[in-house]
Amino acid sequence: MKQELKYGWTITSNQAIRAYKDVDGNLAIFTEVKEFGDPMPLLIDLSEDEVKVTAIPHMVMAVYVKLTKEIEIVWNSEYYQTIATEEIYEEE
């Protein structure tokens, strides 16, 4: 999935994302997965010649910024395959 951003930047992701943008080029990026509500967003500030990652959630493996004004986000795939392997609470 590829999205066009302000200042000529583009963003790609290995998971479906929702990118909320303001007029200054700041981004809040969420995945489409909503298992327990919205997780912490990936926060990025954009300018003409700079990308500043201001908050990175634990489920992001990597953020690549290329000289061609491309941002690539790689999400941890294990986060999306969570299942309970043990009971958390047992009645006695």
Side-chain angles (χ1 to χ4, degrees):
M1 181 168 134
K2 188 175 191 174
Q3 289 187 21
E4 299 290 323
L5 303 172
K6 191 168 182 166
Y7 305 114
W9 290 94
T10 59
I11 192 165
T12 58
S13 172
N14 67 332
Q15 297 288 334
I17 59 171
R18 293 173 286 138
Y20 297 98
K21 310 166 227 178
D22 70 7
V23 295
D24 296 323
N26 302 315
L27 302 171
I29 301 166
F30 296 89
T31 62
E32 290 291 342
V33 174
K34 285 186 170 182
E35 289 185 14
F36 303 105
D38 278 330
M40 181 182 141
L42 171 63
L43 300 177
I44 297 175
D45 294 343
L46 294 179
S47 71
E48 185 66 39
D49 57 356
E50 182 179 65
V51 171
K52 182 178 177 184
V53 177
T54 58
I56 190 163
H58 67 279
M59 64 274 229
V60 172
M61 274 184 37
V63 177
Y64 299 101
V65 179
K66 301 175 183 176
L67 296 175
T68 55
K69 287 197 163 186
E70 296 174 72
I71 303 166
E72 180 183 351
I73 304 170
V74 179
W75 302 85
N76 187 346
S77 61
E78 289 180 18
Y79 173 78
Y80 301 99
Q81 300 169 3
T82 56
I83 57 171
T85 55
E86 295 182 21
E87 292 181 24
I88 296 172
Y89 173 78
E90 257 185 53
E91 287 189 36
E92 292 183 27

Coordinates of all heavy atoms in Angstrom, one line a residue:
M1 N 0.8 -1.2 0.0 CA 0.0 0.0 0.0 C 0.9 1.2 0.0 O 1.8 1.4 0.8 CB -0.9 0.0 1.3 CG -1.8 1.1 1.4 SD -3.0 0.8 2.7 CE -2.9 2.3 3.5
K2 N 0.6 2.2 -0.9 CA 1.4 3.4 -1.0 C 0.5 4.6 -0.9 O -0.5 4.6 -1.5 CB 2.1 3.4 -2.3 CG 3.2 4.5 -2.5 CD 3.9 4.3 -3.8 CE 5.1 5.2 -3.9 NZ 5.9 4.9 -5.1
Q3 N 0.9 5.6 -0.1 CA 0.1 6.8 0.1 C 1.0 8.0 -0.2 O 2.2 8.0 0.2 CB -0.4 6.9 1.5 CG -1.5 5.9 1.9 CD -2.1 6.2 3.2 OE1 -2.0 7.3 3.8 NE2 -2.7 5.2 3.8
E4 N 0.4 9.0 -0.8 CA 1.1 10.3 -1.1 C 0.9 11.2 0.1 O -0.1 11.2 0.7 CB 0.5 11.0 -2.3 CG 0.6 10.2 -3.6 CD 2.0 10.1 -4.1 OE1 2.8 11.1 -4.0 OE2 2.4 9.0 -4.6
L5 N 2.0 11.9 0.5 CA 2.0 12.8 1.7 C 2.4 14.2 1.2 O 2.8 14.4 0.1 CB 3.0 12.2 2.7 CG 2.7 10.8 3.2 CD1 3.9 10.3 4.1 CD2 1.4 10.7 3.9
K6 N 2.5 15.1 2.2 CA 2.9 16.4 2.0 C 4.4 16.5 1.6 O 5.1 15.6 2.0 CB 2.6 17.3 3.2 CG 2.7 18.8 3.0 CD 2.1 19.5 4.2 CE 2.2 21.0 3.9 NZ 1.5 21.8 4.8
Y7 N 4.7 17.6 0.9 CA 6.1 17.8 0.5 C 6.7 16.8 -0.5 O 7.9 16.6 -0.6 CB 7.1 18.0 1.7 CG 6.6 18.9 2.8 CD1 6.3 18.5 4.0 CD2 6.6 20.3 2.5 CE1 5.9 19.4 5.0 CE2 6.2 21.2 3.4 CZ 5.8 20.8 4.7 OH 5.4 21.7 5.6
G8 N 5.8 16.0 -1.1 CA 6.3 15.0 -2.1 C 6.7 13.7 -1.5 O 7.2 12.8 -2.2
W9 N 6.5 13.5 -0.2 CA 6.9 12.2 0.5 C 5.8 11.2 0.1 O 4.7 11.5 -0.1 CB 7.0 12.4 2.0 CG 8.2 13.2 2.4 CD1 8.2 14.5 2.7 CD2 9.5 12.7 2.7 NE1 9.4 14.9 3.1 CE2 10.3 13.8 3.1 CE3 10.1 11.5 2.6 CZ2 11.6 13.7 3.4 CZ3 11.4 11.3 2.9 CH2 12.2 12.5 3.3
T10 N 6.2 9.9 0.1 CA 5.3 8.8 0.0 C 5.6 7.8 1.1 O 6.7 7.8 1.7 CB 5.4 8.1 -1.3 OG1 6.7 7.6 -1.5 CG2 5.0 9.0 -2.5
I11 N 4.6 7.0 1.5 CA 4.7 6.1 2.5 C 4.2 4.7 2.1 O 3.2 4.6 1.4 CB 4.0 6.5 3.8 CG1 4.4 5.7 5.0 CG2 2.5 6.6 3.7 CD1 4.1 6.3 6.3
T12 N 5.0 3.6 2.4 CA 4.5 2.3 2.1 C 4.6 1.5 3.4 O 5.4 1.8 4.3 CB 5.4 1.6 1.0 OG1 6.8 1.6 1.5 CG2 5.3 2.3 -0.3
S13 N 3.8 0.4 3.5 CA 3.8 -0.4 4.7 C 3.5 -1.8 4.3 O 2.8 -2.1 3.3 CB 2.7 0.2 5.6 OG 2.4 -0.7 6.7
N14 N 4.0 -2.8 5.1 CA 3.7 -4.2 4.9 C 2.4 -4.6 5.5 O 2.0 -5.7 5.4 CB 4.9 -5.1 5.4 CG 5.0 -5.0 6.9 OD1 4.7 -4.0 7.6 ND2 5.5 -6.1 7.5
Q15 N 1.7 -3.7 6.2 CA 0.4 -3.9 6.8 C -0.5 -2.8 6.3 O 0.0 -1.7 6.0 CB 0.4 -3.9 8.3 CG 1.3 -5.0 8.9 CD 0.6 -6.4 8.8 OE1 -0.6 -6.5 8.7 NE2 1.5 -7.4 8.8
A16 N -1.8 -3.0 6.3 CA -2.8 -1.9 6.0 C -2.7 -0.9 7.1 O -2.7 -1.2 8.2 CB -4.2 -2.5 5.8
I17 N -2.7 0.4 6.7 CA -2.5 1.5 7.7 C -3.6 2.5 7.5 O -4.2 2.7 6.4 CB -1.1 2.1 7.6 CG1 -0.8 2.7 6.3 CG2 -0.1 1.2 8.1 CD1 0.4 3.6 6.2
R18 N -3.8 3.3 8.5 CA -4.6 4.6 8.5 C -3.6 5.7 8.8 O -3.0 5.6 9.9 CB -5.7 4.5 9.5 CG -6.8 3.5 9.1 CD -7.8 3.4 10.3 NE -7.2 2.7 11.4 CZ -7.3 3.1 12.7 NH1 -8.0 4.1 13.0 NH2 -6.8 2.4 13.6
A19 N -3.4 6.7 8.0 CA -2.5 7.8 8.2 C -3.3 9.0 8.4 O -4.0 9.5 7.4 CB -1.5 7.9 7.1
Y20 N -3.3 9.6 9.6 CA -4.0 10.9 9.8 C -2.9 12.0 9.7 O -1.9 11.9 10.3 CB -4.6 10.9 11.2 CG -5.7 9.8 11.4 CD1 -5.4 8.6 11.9 CD2 -6.9 10.1 10.9 CE1 -6.4 7.6 12.0 CE2 -7.9 9.1 11.0 CZ -7.6 7.9 11.6 OH -8.6 6.9 11.7
K21 N -3.3 13.0 8.9 CA -2.3 14.1 8.6 C -2.9 15.4 9.0 O -4.1 15.7 8.9 CB -2.1 14.1 7.1 CG -1.7 12.8 6.5 CD -1.8 12.9 5.0 CE -2.6 11.7 4.5 NZ -2.8 11.6 3.1
D22 N -2.0 16.3 9.5 CA -2.5 17.7 9.7 C -1.8 18.6 8.6 O -1.1 18.2 7.8 CB -2.2 18.2 11.1 CG -0.7 18.4 11.4 OD1 0.1 18.3 10.5 OD2 -0.3 18.6 12.6
V23 N -2.2 19.9 8.7 CA -1.7 20.8 7.6 C -0.2 21.1 7.7 O 0.4 21.5 6.7 CB -2.5 22.2 7.7 CG1 -3.9 22.0 7.4 CG2 -2.3 22.8 9.1
D24 N 0.4 20.8 8.8 CA 1.9 21.0 8.9 C 2.7 19.8 8.4 O 3.9 19.9 8.4 CB 2.3 21.4 10.3 CG 1.6 22.7 10.8 OD1 1.5 23.6 10.0 OD2 1.2 22.7 12.0
G25 N 2.1 18.7 8.1 CA 2.8 17.6 7.6 C 3.1 16.5 8.7 O 3.8 15.6 8.5
N26 N 2.5 16.7 9.9 CA 2.6 15.7 10.9 C 1.7 14.6 10.7 O 0.6 14.7 10.3 CB 2.3 16.4 12.3 CG 3.2 17.6 12.5 OD1 4.4 17.5 12.3 ND2 2.6 18.7 13.0
L27 N 2.2 13.4 11.0 CA 1.4 12.1 10.8 C 1.2 11.3 12.1 O 2.1 11.3 12.9 CB 2.2 11.2 9.8 CG 2.5 11.8 8.4 CD1 3.4 10.8 7.7 CD2 1.3 12.0 7.6
A28 N 0.1 10.7 12.2 CA -0.2 9.7 13.2 C -0.6 8.5 12.4 O -1.6 8.5 11.7 CB -1.3 10.1 14.1
I29 N 0.1 7.4 12.5 CA -0.1 6.2 11.6 C -0.5 5.0 12.5 O 0.2 4.7 13.5 CB 1.1 5.8 10.8 CG1 1.5 7.0 9.9 CG2 0.9 4.6 10.0 CD1 2.9 7.0 9.4
F30 N -1.7 4.5 12.2 CA -2.2 3.3 12.9 C -2.3 2.1 11.9 O -2.5 2.4 10.7 CB -3.6 3.6 13.4 CG -3.7 4.7 14.5 CD1 -3.9 6.0 14.1 CD2 -3.6 4.3 15.8 CE1 -4.0 7.0 15.0 CE2 -3.7 5.3 16.8 CZ -3.9 6.7 16.4
T31 N -2.3 0.9 12.4 CA -2.6 -0.2 11.5 C -4.1 -0.4 11.5 O -4.8 0.2 12.3 CB -2.0 -1.5 12.0 OG1 -2.5 -1.8 13.3 CG2 -0.5 -1.4 12.1
E32 N -4.6 -1.2 10.6 CA -6.0 -1.4 10.5 C -6.5 -2.5 11.5 O -7.7 -2.6 11.8 CB -6.4 -1.9 9.1 CG -6.3 -0.9 8.0 CD -7.4 0.2 8.2 OE1 -8.4 0.0 8.9 OE2 -7.2 1.3 7.6
V33 N -5.5 -3.2 12.2 CA -5.9 -4.2 13.2 C -6.4 -3.5 14.4 O -5.7 -2.6 14.9 CB -4.6 -5.0 13.5 CG1 -4.9 -6.0 14.6 CG2 -4.2 -5.8 12.3
K34 N -7.5 -3.9 14.9 CA -8.1 -3.3 16.1 C -8.5 -4.5 17.1 O -9.7 -4.7 17.4 CB -9.3 -2.5 15.8 CG -9.0 -1.2 15.2 CD -10.3 -0.4 15.1 CE -10.1 1.0 14.7 NZ -11.3 1.7 14.6
E35 N -7.5 -5.2 17.6 CA -7.8 -6.3 18.5 C -8.3 -5.8 19.9 O -9.2 -6.3 20.5 CB -6.7 -7.3 18.6 CG -6.4 -8.1 17.4 CD -5.3 -9.1 17.6 OE1 -4.9 -9.4 18.8 OE2 -4.9 -9.6 16.6
F36 N -7.6 -4.8 20.4 CA -7.8 -4.3 21.7 C -8.0 -2.7 21.6 O -7.4 -2.0 22.4 CB -6.7 -4.6 22.7 CG -6.5 -6.1 22.8 CD1 -5.4 -6.7 22.2 CD2 -7.4 -6.9 23.5 CE1 -5.2 -8.1 22.3 CE2 -7.2 -8.3 23.6 CZ -6.1 -8.9 23.0
G37 N -8.7 -2.2 20.6 CA -8.7 -0.8 20.4 C -7.5 -0.4 19.6 O -6.7 -1.2 19.2
D38 N -7.4 0.9 19.4 CA -6.3 1.4 18.7 C -5.0 1.3 19.5 O -4.9 1.7 20.6 CB -6.5 2.9 18.3 CG -7.4 3.1 17.1 OD1 -7.3 2.2 16.2 OD2 -8.1 4.1 17.0
P39 N -3.9 0.7 18.9 CA -2.6 0.7 19.6 C -2.0 2.1 19.5 O -2.5 3.0 18.8 CB -1.9 -0.3 18.7 CG -2.5 -0.2 17.4 CD -3.9 0.1 17.6
M40 N -0.8 2.2 20.1 CA -0.1 3.5 20.1 C 0.3 3.8 18.6 O 0.7 2.9 17.9 CB 1.2 3.3 20.9 CG 2.0 4.6 21.0 SD 3.5 4.3 22.0 CE 4.7 5.1 21.0
P41 N 0.1 5.0 18.2 CA 0.5 5.3 16.8 C 2.0 5.6 16.6 O 2.7 5.9 17.5 CB -0.3 6.6 16.5 CG -0.3 7.3 17.8 CD -0.5 6.2 18.9
L42 N 2.4 5.4 15.3 CA 3.7 5.8 14.9 C 3.5 7.3 14.6 O 2.7 7.7 13.7 CB 4.1 5.0 13.7 CG 5.4 5.5 12.9 CD1 6.6 5.3 13.9 CD2 5.6 4.6 11.7
L43 N 4.3 8.2 15.2 CA 4.2 9.6 15.0 C 5.4 10.1 14.2 O 6.6 9.8 14.5 CB 4.1 10.4 16.3 CG 2.9 10.0 17.2 CD1 3.0 10.8 18.5 CD2 1.6 10.3 16.5
I44 N 5.1 10.8 13.1 CA 6.2 11.3 12.2 C 5.9 12.8 11.9 O 4.8 13.1 11.6 CB 6.2 10.5 10.9 CG1 6.6 9.0 11.2 CG2 7.2 11.1 9.9 CD1 6.6 8.1 10.0
D45 N 6.9 13.6 11.9 CA 6.8 15.0 11.5 C 7.6 15.1 10.2 O 8.8 14.7 10.1 CB 7.5 15.9 12.5 CG 6.7 16.0 13.9 OD1 5.6 15.5 13.9 OD2 7.3 16.4 14.9
L46 N 6.9 15.7 9.2 CA 7.6 15.9 7.9 C 7.9 17.3 7.6 O 7.1 18.2 8.0 CB 6.6 15.4 6.8 CG 6.2 13.9 6.7 CD1 5.2 13.7 5.6 CD2 7.5 13.1 6.5
S47 N 8.9 17.6 6.9 CA 9.2 18.9 6.3 C 9.7 18.6 4.9 O 9.7 17.5 4.4 CB 10.3 19.6 7.1 OG 11.5 19.0 7.0
E48 N 10.1 19.7 4.2 CA 10.5 19.5 2.8 C 11.7 18.6 2.7 O 11.8 17.8 1.7 CB 10.9 20.9 2.3 CG 11.3 20.9 0.8 CD 10.2 20.6 -0.1 OE1 9.0 21.0 0.1 OE2 10.4 19.9 -1.1
D49 N 12.6 18.6 3.6 CA 13.9 17.8 3.5 C 14.2 16.9 4.7 O 15.3 16.5 4.9 CB 15.1 18.7 3.2 CG 15.3 19.8 4.3 OD1 14.4 19.9 5.2 OD2 16.2 20.5 4.2
E50 N 13.2 16.7 5.6 CA 13.4 15.9 6.8 C 12.2 15.1 7.2 O 11.1 15.5 7.0 CB 13.8 16.9 7.9 CG 14.1 16.3 9.2 CD 14.4 17.4 10.3 OE1 13.5 18.1 10.6 OE2 15.6 17.4 10.7
V51 N 12.5 13.9 7.8 CA 11.5 13.1 8.4 C 12.0 12.9 9.9 O 13.1 12.4 10.1 CB 11.4 11.7 7.7 CG1 10.6 10.7 8.5 CG2 10.9 11.8 6.3
K52 N 11.1 13.2 10.8 CA 11.5 13.1 12.2 C 10.5 12.1 12.8 O 9.3 12.4 12.9 CB 11.5 14.4 12.9 CG 11.8 14.4 14.4 CD 11.8 15.8 14.9 CE 12.1 15.7 16.4 NZ 12.0 17.1 17.0
V53 N 10.9 10.9 13.3 CA 10.1 10.0 14.0 C 10.1 10.4 15.4 O 11.1 10.4 16.1 CB 10.6 8.5 13.8 CG1 9.7 7.6 14.6 CG2 10.7 8.2 12.3
T54 N 8.9 10.8 15.9 CA 8.8 11.3 17.3 C 8.2 10.3 18.3 O 8.4 10.4 19.5 CB 7.9 12.6 17.4 OG1 6.6 12.2 16.9 CG2 8.5 13.7 16.6
A55 N 7.6 9.2 17.8 CA 7.1 8.1 18.7 C 7.0 6.9 17.8 O 6.5 6.9 16.7 CB 5.8 8.4 19.3
I56 N 7.6 5.8 18.3 CA 7.6 4.5 17.6 C 7.0 3.4 18.5 O 7.5 3.2 19.6 CB 9.0 4.2 17.0 CG1 8.9 3.0 16.1 CG2 10.0 3.9 18.1 CD1 10.1 2.8 15.2
P57 N 5.9 2.8 18.1 CA 5.3 1.8 19.0 C 6.1 0.5 18.9 O 6.9 0.2 18.0 CB 3.9 1.6 18.4 CG 4.0 2.1 17.0 CD 5.1 3.1 16.9
H58 N 5.9 -0.4 19.9 CA 6.7 -1.6 20.0 C 6.4 -2.6 18.9 O 7.2 -3.4 18.6 CB 6.4 -2.3 21.3 CG 5.0 -2.8 21.5 ND1 3.9 -2.0 21.8 CD2 4.5 -4.1 21.3 CE1 2.8 -2.7 21.8 NE2 3.1 -4.0 21.5
M59 N 5.3 -2.5 18.1 CA 5.0 -3.4 17.1 C 5.7 -3.0 15.7 O 5.5 -3.7 14.7 CB 3.5 -3.6 16.9 CG 2.7 -2.4 16.5 SD 2.3 -1.5 17.9 CE 0.6 -1.2 17.7
V60 N 6.4 -1.9 15.7 CA 7.1 -1.5 14.5 C 8.5 -2.0 14.6 O 9.2 -1.8 15.5 CB 7.2 0.1 14.3 CG1 8.1 0.5 13.2 CG2 5.8 0.6 14.1
M61 N 8.9 -2.8 13.5 CA 10.2 -3.4 13.5 C 11.2 -2.4 12.9 O 12.3 -2.3 13.4 CB 10.2 -4.7 12.6 CG 9.9 -5.9 13.4 SD 10.0 -7.4 12.4 CE 11.4 -7.2 11.3
A62 N 10.8 -1.6 11.9 CA 11.8 -0.7 11.3 C 11.0 0.4 10.5 O 9.9 0.2 10.0 CB 12.7 -1.5 10.3
V63 N 11.7 1.5 10.4 CA 11.2 2.6 9.6 C 12.4 3.0 8.7 O 13.4 3.4 9.2 CB 10.7 3.8 10.4 CG1 10.3 5.0 9.5 CG2 9.6 3.5 11.4
Y64 N 12.2 2.9 7.4 CA 13.3 3.2 6.5 C 12.9 4.6 5.8 O 11.8 4.7 5.3 CB 13.5 2.2 5.4 CG 13.8 0.8 6.0 CD1 12.9 -0.2 6.2 CD2 15.1 0.6 6.4 CE1 13.2 -1.4 6.7 CE2 15.5 -0.7 6.9 CZ 14.5 -1.6 7.1 OH 14.9 -2.9 7.6
V65 N 13.9 5.5 5.7 CA 13.7 6.7 5.0 C 14.7 6.8 3.9 O 15.9 6.7 4.1 CB 13.9 7.9 6.0 CG1 13.7 9.2 5.2 CG2 12.9 7.9 7.1
K66 N 14.2 6.9 2.7 CA 15.0 6.8 1.5 C 15.3 8.2 0.9 O 14.4 9.1 1.1 CB 14.4 5.9 0.4 CG 14.2 4.5 1.0 CD 13.5 3.6 0.0 CE 13.3 2.2 0.6 NZ 12.5 1.4 -0.3
L67 N 16.4 8.4 0.2 CA 16.7 9.7 -0.4 C 15.7 10.1 -1.5 O 15.6 11.3 -1.8 CB 18.1 9.7 -1.0 CG 19.2 9.5 0.0 CD1 20.6 9.4 -0.7 CD2 19.2 10.6 1.0
T68 N 14.9 9.2 -1.9 CA 13.9 9.4 -3.0 C 12.5 9.9 -2.3 O 11.5 9.8 -3.0 CB 13.6 8.2 -3.8 OG1 13.3 7.1 -3.0 CG2 14.9 7.8 -4.6
K69 N 12.6 10.3 -1.1 CA 11.4 10.8 -0.3 C 10.4 9.7 -0.1 O 9.2 10.0 -0.2 CB 10.8 12.0 -1.0 CG 11.6 13.3 -0.8 CD 10.8 14.5 -1.2 CE 11.5 15.7 -0.6 NZ 10.7 16.9 -0.8
E70 N 10.9 8.5 0.2 CA 10.0 7.4 0.5 C 10.2 7.0 1.9 O 11.4 6.9 2.4 CB 10.3 6.2 -0.5 CG 10.0 6.5 -1.9 CD 10.4 5.3 -2.8 OE1 9.8 4.3 -2.7 OE2 11.5 5.5 -3.4
I71 N 9.1 6.7 2.6 CA 9.2 6.2 4.0 C 8.6 4.8 3.9 O 7.5 4.6 3.4 CB 8.3 7.0 4.9 CG1 8.8 8.5 4.9 CG2 8.4 6.5 6.3 CD1 7.9 9.5 5.6
E72 N 9.3 3.8 4.4 CA 8.8 2.4 4.4 C 8.7 2.0 5.9 O 9.6 2.1 6.7 CB 9.7 1.5 3.7 CG 9.3 0.1 3.7 CD 10.3 -0.9 3.0 OE1 11.2 -0.4 2.3 OE2 10.1 -2.1 3.1
I73 N 7.5 1.5 6.3 CA 7.3 1.0 7.6 C 7.2 -0.6 7.6 O 6.4 -1.1 6.8 CB 6.0 1.5 8.2 CG1 6.0 3.1 8.2 CG2 5.8 1.0 9.6 CD1 4.7 3.7 8.5
V74 N 7.9 -1.2 8.4 CA 7.9 -2.7 8.6 C 7.3 -3.0 9.9 O 8.0 -2.7 10.9 CB 9.2 -3.3 8.3 CG1 9.1 -4.8 8.5 CG2 9.8 -2.9 7.0
W75 N 6.1 -3.6 10.0 CA 5.5 -3.9 11.2 C 5.9 -5.4 11.6 O 6.0 -6.2 10.7 CB 4.0 -3.8 11.1 CG 3.5 -2.5 10.7 CD1 3.4 -2.0 9.4 CD2 3.1 -1.4 11.6 NE1 2.9 -0.7 9.5 CE2 2.7 -0.3 10.8 CE3 3.0 -1.3 13.0 CZ2 2.3 0.9 11.3 CZ3 2.5 -0.1 13.5 CH2 2.2 1.0 12.7
N76 N 6.0 -5.7 12.9 CA 6.3 -7.0 13.3 C 5.1 -7.9 13.1 O 4.0 -7.7 13.6 CB 6.6 -6.9 14.8 CG 7.1 -8.3 15.4 OD1 7.0 -9.3 14.8 ND2 7.6 -8.2 16.6
S77 N 5.2 -8.9 12.3 CA 4.1 -9.8 11.9 C 3.7 -10.7 13.0 O 2.5 -11.1 13.1 CB 4.5 -10.7 10.7 OG 5.6 -11.5 11.0
E78 N 4.5 -10.9 14.0 CA 4.1 -11.7 15.2 C 3.0 -11.0 16.0 O 2.2 -11.7 16.6 CB 5.3 -12.0 16.1 CG 6.3 -13.0 15.4 CD 7.4 -13.3 16.3 OE1 7.4 -13.1 17.5 OE2 8.4 -13.8 15.8
Y79 N 3.0 -9.7 16.0 CA 2.0 -9.0 16.7 C 0.6 -9.3 16.2 O -0.4 -9.3 17.0 CB 2.3 -7.5 16.6 CG 1.2 -6.6 17.2 CD1 1.1 -6.4 18.5 CD2 0.2 -6.0 16.4 CE1 0.2 -5.6 19.1 CE2 -0.7 -5.2 16.9 CZ -0.8 -5.0 18.3 OH -1.7 -4.2 18.8
Y80 N 0.5 -9.6 15.0 CA -0.8 -9.8 14.3 C -1.3 -11.3 14.4 O -2.3 -11.6 13.9 CB -0.8 -9.4 12.9 CG -0.4 -7.9 12.8 CD1 0.8 -7.5 12.6 CD2 -1.4 -7.0 13.1 CE1 1.2 -6.1 12.5 CE2 -1.1 -5.6 13.1 CZ 0.2 -5.2 12.8 OH 0.5 -3.9 12.8
Q81 N -0.5 -12.1 15.1 CA -0.8 -13.5 15.2 C -0.9 -13.9 16.7 O -0.4 -15.0 17.1 CB 0.2 -14.4 14.5 CG 0.3 -14.1 13.0 CD 1.4 -14.7 12.3 OE1 2.2 -15.5 12.9 NE2 1.6 -14.5 11.0
T82 N -1.4 -13.0 17.5 CA -1.4 -13.3 18.9 C -2.6 -14.2 19.3 O -3.7 -14.0 18.8 CB -1.6 -12.0 19.7 OG1 -2.8 -11.3 19.2 CG2 -0.4 -11.1 19.5
I83 N -2.2 -15.3 20.0 CA -3.2 -16.2 20.6 C -2.8 -16.5 22.0 O -1.7 -16.5 22.3 CB -3.4 -17.5 19.7 CG1 -2.1 -18.2 19.6 CG2 -3.9 -17.2 18.4 CD1 -2.2 -19.6 19.0
A84 N -3.8 -16.8 22.8 CA -3.5 -17.2 24.2 C -3.0 -18.6 24.2 O -3.6 -19.5 23.7 CB -4.8 -17.0 25.1
T85 N -1.9 -18.8 24.9 CA -1.3 -20.2 25.0 C -1.5 -20.7 26.4 O -1.4 -21.9 26.5 CB 0.2 -20.1 24.6 OG1 0.9 -19.2 25.5 CG2 0.4 -19.7 23.2
E86 N -1.8 -19.9 27.3 CA -2.0 -20.4 28.7 C -3.2 -19.6 29.3 O -3.4 -18.4 28.9 CB -0.8 -20.1 29.6 CG 0.4 -20.9 29.2 CD 1.6 -20.6 30.2 OE1 1.3 -20.1 31.3 OE2 2.7 -20.8 29.8
E87 N -3.9 -20.2 30.2 CA -4.9 -19.5 30.9 C -4.3 -18.5 31.8 O -3.3 -18.8 32.4 CB -5.8 -20.5 31.6 CG -6.6 -21.4 30.8 CD -7.5 -22.4 31.6 OE1 -7.8 -22.0 32.7 OE2 -7.8 -23.4 31.1
I88 N -5.0 -17.3 31.9 CA -4.4 -16.3 32.7 C -5.0 -16.4 34.1 O -4.4 -16.2 35.1 CB -4.8 -14.9 32.1 CG1 -4.0 -14.7 30.8 CG2 -4.4 -13.8 33.1 CD1 -4.4 -13.5 30.1
Y89 N -6.3 -16.9 34.2 CA -7.0 -16.9 35.5 C -7.7 -18.3 35.6 O -8.3 -18.8 34.6 CB -8.0 -15.8 35.5 CG -8.9 -15.9 36.7 CD1 -8.5 -15.5 38.0 CD2 -10.2 -16.4 36.6 CE1 -9.3 -15.6 39.1 CE2 -11.0 -16.5 37.7 CZ -10.6 -16.1 39.0 OH -11.4 -16.2 40.1
E90 N -7.5 -18.9 36.7 CA -8.2 -20.2 36.9 C -9.0 -20.1 38.2 O -8.5 -19.6 39.2 CB -7.1 -21.3 37.1 CG -6.9 -22.2 35.9 CD -5.9 -23.3 36.3 OE1 -6.1 -24.0 37.3 OE2 -4.9 -23.4 35.6
E91 N -10.2 -20.6 38.1 CA -11.0 -20.7 39.4 C -10.7 -22.0 40.1 O -10.4 -23.0 39.6 CB -12.5 -20.7 39.0 CG -13.0 -19.4 38.5 CD -14.5 -19.4 38.4 OE1 -15.2 -20.0 39.2 OE2 -15.0 -18.7 37.5
E92 N -10.6 -21.8 41.5 CA -10.3 -23.0 42.3 C -11.5 -23.6 42.9 O -12.5 -23.0 43.1 CB -9.3 -22.6 43.3 CG -8.0 -22.3 42.7 CD -6.9 -21.9 43.7 OE1 -7.0 -22.4 44.9 OE2 -6.0 -21.2 43.4

